[in-house]
Amino acid sequence: MADDALFELGLTYYGLRRWDESNGSFSKLLSDHEDSPLVGEALGHYGSPYVALADFDNALVAFEQAIELDAMDPQIRNDIIFQKAWLLYRNERFSEAAVAFDALQADPAFASRADEALFWAAESNFQAGRLARAENLFKQYIQRYDNGEHIDAAHYALGWTYFRQSSYASAITYFDRFLRNYRTEDSFVPYRRDARLRLADSYFALKRYPQ
């Protein structure tokens, strides 16, 4: 089959969400028509079904090859690397997510998403039980992005990080900041009651009582 026919067939299957057949068409194009001018673009599309199947490693192999041929914006690869790290977090593979996001937040190639990478690096480390690391990263986020998208969540999470380390005076500081800036958006509603309970627990642990 001609290269352009295989390319169109791959796109058609992709549009129908028939991922394996889409990759089969692009794979045949790449193997049978190595000198085709469509190779670079086909590599980019070849990686996309892997993303849909959450097979990020194979997707990244294809995308790297496409980038080498100047057929793909490197930002697309970066987005996939970020998505891979996020999927680790979502699947509660927190230790792996912590390593992945730690690398991303320190990588200049991800400067456009540095705030997100830093927050999720902190959150992943917290969930993995690496509390000292989480504390350091949450503090960095608060210092750098005081108007950032995740600033309220960072105050709440840093309060919890201190609470779990029995640093109750510091926990009080950050739970209080969260509550003073509390918003009634749906995403924050469940945390108000918990923050107030942990705040009270922290005062009790210190044998102090708010005025």
Side-chain angles (χ1 to χ4, degrees):
M1 189 179 290
D3 57 348
D4 57 344
L6 286 167
F7 186 83
E8 291 301 324
L9 187 60
L11 289 179
T12 299
Y13 281 135
Y14 185 84
L16 294 171
R17 303 172 68 85
R18 292 162 64 174
W19 314 124
D20 290 335
E21 290 161 293
S22 176
N23 261 1
S25 298
F26 288 125
S27 179
K28 187 166 180 59
L29 188 160
L30 295 169
S31 62
D32 292 358
H33 303 280
E34 294 180 0
D35 297 323
S36 169
L38 293 171
V39 164
E41 194 173 353
L43 279 165
H45 288 293
Y46 180 61
S48 296
Y50 284 124
V51 175
L53 294 167
D55 185 350
F56 295 111
D57 291 331
N58 277 322
L60 289 170
V61 169
F63 290 159
E64 289 286 1
Q65 292 174 323
I67 289 165
E68 288 176 8
L69 295 172
D70 293 324
M72 174 172 281
D73 184 346
Q75 184 58 46
I76 295 175
R77 173 197 57 196
N78 292 349
D79 289 343
I80 297 306
I81 293 172
F82 197 97
Q83 189 173 348
K84 179 182 178 181
W86 167 245
L87 188 65
L88 290 170
Y89 179 87
R90 193 180 71 183
N91 289 337
E92 299 185 2
R93 293 164 63 180
F94 299 123
S95 292
E96 294 169 83
V99 171
F101 279 119
D102 263 341
L104 296 186
Q105 64 92 16
D107 188 341
F110 291 85
S112 65
R113 303 184 73 173
D115 58 333
E116 285 185 88
L118 181 56
F119 175 81
W120 288 111
E123 180 66 19
S124 298
N125 276 281
F126 174 82
Q127 296 294 345
R130 299 171 183 170
L131 300 181
R133 180 63 176 160
E135 175 189 338
N136 179 268
L137 293 173
F138 279 128
K139 286 165 71 175
Q140 286 185 46
Y141 182 90
I142 290 167
Q143 290 165 1
R144 295 181 195 176
Y145 306 107
D146 59 350
N147 290 311
E149 177 184 357
H150 302 291
I151 189 63
D152 296 320
H155 284 141
Y156 174 78
L158 185 53
W160 253 110
T161 304
Y162 281 126
F163 185 84
R164 285 182 59 184
Q165 295 178 97
S166 301
S167 297
Y168 298 115
S170 295
I172 287 169
T173 297
Y174 287 95
F175 283 131
D176 186 59
R177 285 186 188 178
F178 170 76
L179 290 167
R180 280 191 286 108
N181 295 293
Y182 176 77
R183 294 177 289 172
T184 56
E185 296 174 17
D186 289 345
S187 59
F188 289 101
V189 168
Y191 303 106
R192 184 183 189 187
R193 182 172 182 272
D194 181 72
R196 293 177 71 177
L197 288 171
R198 299 293 79 77
L199 187 62
D201 288 342
S202 298
Y203 276 117
F204 182 81
L206 295 173
K207 297 185 176 4
R208 288 168 48 195
Y209 302 94
Q211 298 298 317

